[in-house]
Amino acid sequence: MTNIEKTVRPTGTPPAGPKAIKAIPVRHYGRYVSAVVAIGILASIIYAFGQGKINWDAVPSYFFDSRILKGVGQTMLLTVVSMLIGIVGGVLLAVMRLSKNPVTSSISWFYIWFFRGTPVLVQLFVWFNLGLVFEYINLGPIYKNYWSDFMTPFLTALLGLGLNEAAYMAEICRAGLLSVDEGQTEASHALGMSHGKTLRRIIIPQAMRVIVPPTGNEVINMLKTTSLVSAVQYPELLRYAQDIGQTSGAPVEMLFLAAAWYLVLTSVLSVGQYYIERYYARGSSRQLPSTPFQKLKATVFSFGRPKGGTA
Amino acid sequence: MTEKVNSGTPKADSGAPMVKSEGVHKSFGPLEVLKGIDLEVKSGEVFCLIGPSGSGKSTFLRCINHLEKINAGRLSVDGERVGYRQQGDKLYELRDREVAVKRRDIGMVFQRFNLFPHMTAAENITEAPVQVRGVNKGQARERAMQLLERVGLADKAGSYPSQLSGGQQQRVAIARALAMDPKLMLFDEPTSALDPELVGDVLDVMRDLAESGMTMIVVTHEMGFAREVGDSLVFMDGGVVVESGHPRDVLTNPQHKRTQGFLSKML
C-alpha cells in the first residue's frame, strides 16, 4: 500500500479510521513520591506558622488602614516616577552608547559601569549625604537654594532609584535596538526617511517586543526596591507598616501585611505587562494570543460543542 | 497599462543618462569589491546586472542610493553626484538629511523584502509618503490601494507581512517603493529568496513596470527576464564589468570567456 493509492480513494467513502492504541501506560512512581514529599513539607511549614504566636486578625484589620494606603500610594508614586526616569534615561544612554560619536558612547559606557557596579543602597546614601559636601545648589540665575532644602527625601529617593535604573534600562534598550534587523534600517533609509524617523517609526516599535518583557521585570523589581528608601527617610509602604507594627504591638503581622500588599501590586503589574506585550506582538506572530477574557469567553461558548472546533 | 508611474516627475531627455558611473571603486577594509565600474543607464531603460555572487553587483546597486559610500570615481544620478556636492573645485560630503532627500526619488527593492513587520501591507506603503513627503493620510491610503491593486494584492491591504507569502511580500515591497513616485527603481535580486513558483508573479509586476517606462536597474539571476524585458545588460565579475551590450546579444552570443563560463552554468 503506497501513499499514491491512498489518495485516489473514491471521494465520498469515509476514511477507515486507524484503530486507537490500547496499552497499559508507564507508571511514574517517582512522581507520586515527590508529590507526597512536597505536600508534606508544605503542610509542615503551614503547621509551623499556625503554631507561631501570630495574631492573624491584625492583618485584615490594618489592611486598609489610612497610613497603609498612604504608604501604598507613596510606593506606587515612587515606582512610577523612578521608572520613568529610568526609561527616559535608559533610552538616552542606549542611543548614546550606540552612537558613532566616541565621546558620547564612552560617557554612556562609564555611566552604566558606575551605576550598575555600585549597590543602590550605597547610591541612596550618597545622594542623601551630599549635603555634607555641598552647602548650596546654584544653577546661576535659574535656581539657588540651600542643599538641605533642595534635596528632599523624595528627590533623594527618586534620583537614587531612577539613575540606577537608567543604567539597567540602557542595556535592555540597547539589546532591543540591536535586535532589529539591519535590513529594516536600510529599507527605511532607501525610502528617504531620516535617522530620527527611522528610529521612531521603524526601529523602536520593533525593538519594543524585546524591550517590554525585561522592562516589566524591572518595574516589578523597582516596586520592591522602593522598600530601601526608608533608609533615606522617605516613608513608603514598608516604613508605615513598621511604624504601625511598633505602636500596635504586631510587628511581624505588619510585615506580612506589607508583603501581601507588594504581592497585590506586582500581580496587577504582571497583568498590565501581559497586555502591553500583546500589543507589541502584532505583526510578529500570525495570530495574537487571546486575552484571558477571550479564553474564558471561548470556553463558555464552546461548552457542549465537540472539542477542537475552534483552533 | 492604466496608470503612468512617472506622472509627477518630469522625464529627462531620452538621451541623458539616469545613472552615470565613471571609475567607481569600493572597498570594505582591505577587500576591494568594485575595481572601477564604468557604465551608463539611460532614462527609461531596463538595465540588468548579472554575474556570480561576490562580483560586486549588489554593492554597486547600493552605492547608487548611497547605502554604501564609494571610495573613488564618480557616480551620478540624474546629473547629480551621489553623496557629494561640488562647489567650485571643492567636494562637500552631503549631510544625512540631504542624502535622505535624494533617496526619495530612488526606489529600492531588496532580496529579503525588508517590509516593516509591525505594519500592515497598506501601512507599509503609506508610511514613507505620509512621513517623508507629507501626503495626507487619506490620499496616501487611496494611492496605496491603487498600488496594491496594480500588484494584484488588493485584498491583502490589512494583512501583516508575516501573513503573506514571499512573493506577496515582494510585491508589497515593490508597491511600497512605487508609492514615493521614484524616477529610478533599483532591484537587488528581487526573486532570489522566493520559491520558484512565486517568482513569476513578481516578474510579471516588474515587466508591467518596465512597460510603463520606469527606469530600472535589476540585479538578477533570471536570464529569461533579462532577455525579454532588459534593454541593456552588464556582466560583472571580480568587481569589474566584463561584458556589456543588448541582453539578447550578450546572453546568446557571449564574447568573453568568463561570460561564457557563467552563462553555461546558468542556462
Side-chain angles (χ1 to χ4, degrees):
Chain A
M1 183 86 177
T2 66
N3 285 331
I4 298 159
E5 281 172 63
K6 267 186 192 165
T7 54
V8 295
R9 191 185 62 234
T11 50
T13 49
K19 216 174 169 194
I21 295 172
K22 271 185 196 157
I24 295 151
V26 176
R27 304 278 180 219
H28 297 278
Y29 296 108
R31 289 185 195 169
Y32 294 112
V33 173
S34 56
V36 168
V37 169
I39 289 173
I41 292 172
L42 192 63
S44 56
I45 290 173
I46 292 172
Y47 176 76
F49 272 84
Q51 289 297 294
K53 281 175 265 167
I54 298 169
N55 177 17
W56 289 109
D57 292 342
V59 175
S61 62
Y62 281 103
F63 205 74
F64 296 107
D65 186 278
S66 64
R67 284 166 293 177
I68 292 290
L69 290 183
K70 193 173 170 216
V72 169
Q74 304 279 49
T75 291
M76 290 205 303
L77 178 71
L78 200 55
T79 306
V80 170
V81 182
S82 310
M83 250 350 261
L84 282 179
I85 295 174
I87 290 170
V88 172
V91 170
L92 204 69
L93 284 166
V95 172
M96 279 169 71
R97 184 80 199 278
L98 292 173
S99 92
K100 287 182 193 135
N101 185 334
V103 176
T104 55
S105 106
S106 314
I107 289 175
S108 171
W109 181 90
F110 182 81
Y111 181 102
I112 294 167
W113 172 77
F114 181 81
F115 281 88
R116 251 187 358 172
T118 51
V120 66
L121 190 57
V122 174
Q123 289 172 30
L124 281 166
F125 281 137
V126 168
W127 285 111
F128 188 62
N129 291 309
L130 271 186
L132 298 176
V133 282
F134 297 114
E135 197 174 351
Y136 300 102
I137 176 163
N138 188 352
L139 299 178
I142 313 164
Y143 186 82
K144 187 171 179 178
N145 204 344
Y146 286 105
W147 186 268
S148 54
D149 289 343
F150 162 73
M151 196 53 103
T152 59
F154 182 62
L155 192 62
T156 309
L158 270 188
L159 286 176
L161 296 178
L163 296 186
N164 180 66
E165 185 57 33
Y168 286 91
M169 284 307 300
E171 289 297 273
I172 292 172
C173 294
R174 191 168 69 96
L177 294 176
L178 289 177
S179 76
V180 180
D181 183 44
E182 227 179 317
Q184 295 289 310
T185 312
E186 281 182 4
S188 174
H189 282 170
L191 286 166
M193 289 171 80
S194 64
H195 275 312
K197 279 230 164 83
T198 301
L199 202 61
R200 270 202 314 283
R201 302 278 313 172
I202 308 300
I203 307 299
I204 289 178
Q206 294 181 58
M208 286 307 270
R209 267 192 61 232
V210 175
I211 292 174
V212 167
T215 303
N217 222 5
E218 290 297 311
V219 175
I220 285 169
N221 244 329
M222 176 61 84
L223 185 90
K224 296 184 298 177
T225 310
T226 55
S227 61
L228 290 181
V229 304
S230 59
V232 293
Q233 306 309 317
Y234 182 73
E236 37 61 70
L237 177 55
L238 178 66
R239 168 51 67 92
Y240 279 117
Q242 282 178 317
D243 285 353
I244 295 173
Q246 270 159 19
T247 52
S248 68
V252 180
E253 290 80 351
M254 288 306 110
L255 291 180
F256 289 155
L257 182 149
W261 261 112
Y262 282 117
L263 268 178
V264 168
L265 294 176
T266 50
S267 307
V268 170
L269 289 174
S270 308
V271 173
Q273 185 188 346
Y274 178 84
Y275 280 93
I276 295 174
E277 275 178 34
R278 195 172 174 276
Y279 173 79
Y280 282 110
R282 72 196 195 284
S284 62
S285 48
R286 274 155 215 238
Q287 199 161 15
L288 282 179
S290 44
T291 62
F293 181 69
Q294 285 170 339
K295 274 184 203 156
L296 187 75
K297 223 167 83 176
T299 321
V300 170
F301 285 111
S302 65
F303 214 64
R305 277 186 224 156
K307 263 197 173 174
T310 52
Chain B
M1 204 60 254
T2 50
E3 193 189 353
K4 196 88 171 93
V5 184
N6 278 343
S7 51
T9 29
K11 253 198 164 172
D13 296 339
S14 51
M18 176 60 82
V19 176
K20 192 167 181 188
S21 168
E22 296 160 279
V24 167
H25 285 257
K26 168 73 191 169
S27 308
F28 293 107
L31 182 71
E32 197 174 22
V33 181
L34 300 179
K35 299 170 184 165
I37 302 290
D38 295 287
L39 54 79
E40 255 187 48
V41 179
K42 292 192 198 71
S43 195
E45 89 174 332
V46 176
F47 191 95
C48 297
L49 276 170
I50 63 168
S53 43
S55 59
K57 48 198 194 318
S58 285
T59 303
F60 178 70
L61 198 71
R62 292 156 58 81
C63 289
I64 294 173
N65 68 353
H66 208 48
L67 283 177
E68 306 287 356
K69 232 187 247 181
I70 63 174
N71 299 120
R74 189 190 173 100
L75 187 59
S76 56
V77 173
D78 211 9
E80 288 177 52
R81 240 182 131 134
V82 175
Y84 300 93
R85 183 182 36 164
Q86 186 135 24
Q87 228 162 42
D89 54 352
K90 279 197 185 125
L91 207 55
Y92 294 88
E93 210 177 327
L94 290 183
R95 295 178 171 283
D96 289 341
R97 201 164 285 278
E98 296 167 306
V99 173
V101 169
K102 296 211 167 168
R103 285 191 185 127
R104 292 176 186 180
D105 297 329
I106 305 173
M108 184 154 188
V109 175
F110 299 86
Q111 182 178 355
R112 304 223 48 97
F113 329 133
N114 293 347
L115 287 180
F116 306 135
H118 58 302
M119 298 180 184
T120 61
E123 285 166 355
N124 261 284
I125 299 171
T126 58
E127 179 66 14
V130 170
Q131 293 296 326
V132 177
R133 291 223 196 268
V135 178
N136 86 47
K137 278 190 182 151
Q139 276 177 341
R141 173 94 195 167
E142 214 170 288
R143 175 105 168 92
M145 293 313 291
Q146 287 171 6
L147 286 166
L148 278 173
E149 195 161 336
R150 185 169 167 195
V151 299
L153 293 170
D155 55 331
K156 297 290 185 190
S159 301
Y160 285 99
S162 61
Q163 296 163 327
L164 301 173
S165 73
Q168 291 170 333
Q169 287 190 49
Q170 193 60 297
R171 284 184 280 158
V172 172
I174 294 173
R176 175 175 73 174
L178 290 178
M180 290 295 280
D181 292 316
K183 57 189 176 194
L184 168 67
M185 284 282 284
L186 309 175
F187 291 85
D188 188 3
E189 301 194 29
T191 56
S192 296
L194 299 177
D195 290 341
E197 55 188 317
L198 302 175
V199 169
D201 293 337
V202 172
L203 291 183
D204 285 344
V205 168
M206 289 169 62
R207 191 172 291 126
D208 203 48
L209 194 59
E211 278 164 19
S212 76
M214 174 66 78
T215 313
M216 295 160 65
I217 303 179
V218 186
V219 172
T220 189
H221 292 300
E222 295 292 329
M223 298 306 152
F225 176 83
R227 185 167 26 213
E228 255 180 74
V229 183
D231 298 308
S232 314
L233 182 136
V234 156
F235 172 71
M236 274 175 75
D237 191 15
V240 292
V241 171
V242 174
E243 194 166 347
S244 63
H246 194 276
R248 236 184 342 259
D249 303 334
V250 179
L251 291 175
T252 49
N253 188 21
Q255 300 300 313
H256 203 283
K257 245 199 194 107
R258 272 193 284 177
T259 321
Q260 289 164 358
F262 175 73
L263 288 175
S264 69
K265 278 181 219 140
M266 289 303 291
L267 297 172

